[in-house]
Amino acid sequence: LAVTESTADGGSRISAYRPDGALAAAGPFVGKPARWRHLLAAGPFGPAGGLELAATRTPHLGGEIEFYRPNLETGKLEISATLPGYATHTIYSRNLDAARAGDLDGDGAWELLVPNQAYTEFAAIRRTDSGAEVAWTLPVGGALATNLASASDSSGRISVAAGRADGFLRVWR
């Protein structure tokens, strides 16, 4: 079980727990009070398909995507890659589900789909041997105003939909 934990002095961190409730591994604290890490997904993000967790560090203040590699021997979630400039929600919003993860383009590698800071475009972020990069983008055609919805058809093709501030629903297939 992976969670975001916080303290009054150190801000938040990402932690992973075993089924018996014991702490398996934890990442670093942000280092400042009231600073947040938004846990997004866990999956085979690693360059060779290794398990990693994805989160956004301080999504309201410049947002930076972080990928964590579990090291169960040391008990640490080690930051393996970062990419600045992405958000997952606006401050005080109840829309906390504006990201998706999976093999979204059918190429065999997982991507993390997140909005940019202006909420006008989604970026598919993929892990590489040297870090993380934008694999492709989807223009919103306005400003994102809702959570994302997604579904896959019988052949496994994924569709994603989101509402815009102008009242339109945008669907990508």
Side-chain angles (χ1 to χ4, degrees):
L1 173 67
V3 299
T4 299
E5 296 182 316
S6 65
T7 66
D9 296 334
S12 65
R13 71 177 182 183
I14 305 299
S15 298
Y17 287 86
R18 293 186 173 92
D20 66 3
L23 181 64
F29 283 101
V30 171
K32 292 184 178 181
R35 296 293 189 260
W36 195 42
R37 281 188 161 102
H38 184 190
L39 179 62
L40 301 172
F45 289 109
L51 174 69
E52 292 188 346
L53 287 80
T56 305
R57 181 180 186 263
T58 62
H60 321 116
L61 303 171
E64 184 170 32
I65 299 300
E66 298 177 321
F67 291 92
Y68 294 84
R69 183 177 303 123
N71 185 332
L72 300 179
E73 291 179 15
T74 64
K76 294 185 179 183
L77 292 175
E78 299 166 347
I79 296 176
S80 55
T82 62
L83 191 63
Y86 296 94
T88 49
H89 64 277
T90 58
I91 195 162
Y92 307 121
S93 174
R94 292 186 181 188
N95 292 335
L96 300 177
D97 197 15
R100 285 292 179 273
D103 180 8
L104 302 173
D105 58 9
D107 69 350
W110 270 44
E111 297 87 25
L112 178 68
L113 188 68
V114 293
N116 63 8
Q117 285 288 321
Y119 294 90
T120 58
E121 181 177 78
F122 286 99
I125 299 171
R126 183 176 298 140
R127 283 278 288 113
T128 65
D129 289 332
S130 60
E133 66 183 20
V134 175
W136 42 270
T137 61
L138 296 174
V140 174
L144 177 69
T146 68
N147 286 319
L148 284 180
S150 59
S152 57
D153 62 20
S154 59
S155 66
R157 184 180 167 123
I158 297 171
S159 296
V160 177
R164 300 187 322 209
D166 61 5
F168 283 87
L169 175 67
R170 181 77 193 258
V171 179
W172 298 269
R173 300 168 62 83

